[in-house]
Amino acid sequence: MGTQTTRRGLRERAVASGAPAMAAAPAAVRRRGGIGRTLGDLGLWIAAAAGAVCIVLVILAVSANITLIMFRTGSMSPTIPAGSVAVVQRVDASRMQVGDVVTVDRDDELPVTHRITSIGPGATEDERIITMRGDANADDDPFPYTVTSVRTVLFSIPGIASAIVGMGDPWVLGTLTAGATVLVIWAFWPRSGSAATRTEEGLT
């Protein structure tokens, strides 16, 4: 009994003398890590959202023939100014209508994205002959286009083409990858506050 009482007394005295410091330590750790933790969590959420967007774009590209195109010139201004990115969907030529803004692929040349001004029949049932004009141009394009399918513009976002192009730069990709790695390591790194909490719980 005397030994048990002595041990209990020692434990009670240790808890009484060390409890304030032990309780203050986790609080200090929480205060120091609060802002950093919030910023880190925000970074992880942003990275997760960006990853989700990429996954959705891949799924749409495969399942619905939806892709992105960038506008380097202002031939479609002011509707779609230079530096815009448009979301386009490939459709059969039979679904086109006059007034649609579409992208036509050309052999050995860059695609052209203009507004349809007329549609005529082609040599086959699936083929159409169209004329187009940029909104900023006074005249139609100098020659018609024979198409069986086009990419119709669903909507556009101005001013983000340069950012998307920049994402393809190896230095940018490397920086983003390194940043994401640091965020993941930081998120799962053991916290000193957890050890202090376990020590306090063991003494009480």
Side-chain angles (χ1 to χ4, degrees):
M1 291 298 292
T3 303
Q4 293 177 353
T5 302
T6 301
R7 288 178 179 175
R8 186 181 299 111
L10 290 173
R11 187 190 312 156
E12 290 175 354
R13 285 195 296 272
V15 171
S17 60
M22 300 292 293
V29 171
R30 286 194 296 270
R31 285 195 298 271
R32 288 194 300 269
I35 296 177
R37 181 73 180 182
T38 300
L39 293 176
D41 289 344
L42 179 61
L44 287 173
W45 277 108
I46 292 174
V53 170
C54 292
I55 292 173
V56 170
L57 289 176
V58 170
I59 293 174
L60 289 176
V62 173
S63 63
N65 290 321
I66 291 178
T67 53
L68 303 178
I69 61 170
M70 291 179 286
F71 287 77
R72 297 182 178 180
T73 68
S75 64
M76 279 301 297
S77 297
T79 308
I80 307 176
S84 299
V85 170
V87 177
V88 298
Q89 182 178 27
R90 184 169 294 280
V91 298
D92 294 333
S94 59
R95 296 175 55 186
M96 299 182 304
Q97 296 181 356
V98 173
D100 287 347
V101 178
V102 300
T103 298
V104 173
D105 297 313
R106 301 181 293 177
D107 294 336
D108 301 325
E109 293 186 78
L110 291 174
V112 58
T113 304
H114 284 164
R115 193 178 301 276
I116 298 175
T117 55
S118 69
I119 302 175
T124 66
E125 183 179 351
D126 297 330
E127 194 175 76
R128 299 290 187 275
I129 299 174
I130 63 175
T131 58
M132 300 198 301
R133 180 192 305 174
D135 287 1
N137 300 337
D139 301 313
D140 288 351
D141 295 351
F143 47 82
Y145 305 93
T146 301
V147 296
T148 56
S149 68
V150 295
R151 289 181 285 169
T152 184
V153 174
L154 302 179
F155 62 90
S156 63
I157 304 174
I160 66 170
S162 57
I164 292 180
V165 171
M167 293 287 289
D169 185 273
W171 286 102
V172 174
L173 289 175
T175 301
L176 292 175
T177 301
T181 303
V182 170
L183 280 174
V184 171
I185 294 174
W186 180 87
F188 291 98
W189 195 263
R191 296 293 188 272
S192 58
S194 301
T197 303
R198 287 195 297 269
T199 304
E200 181 183 359
E201 291 173 352
L203 289 174
T204 54

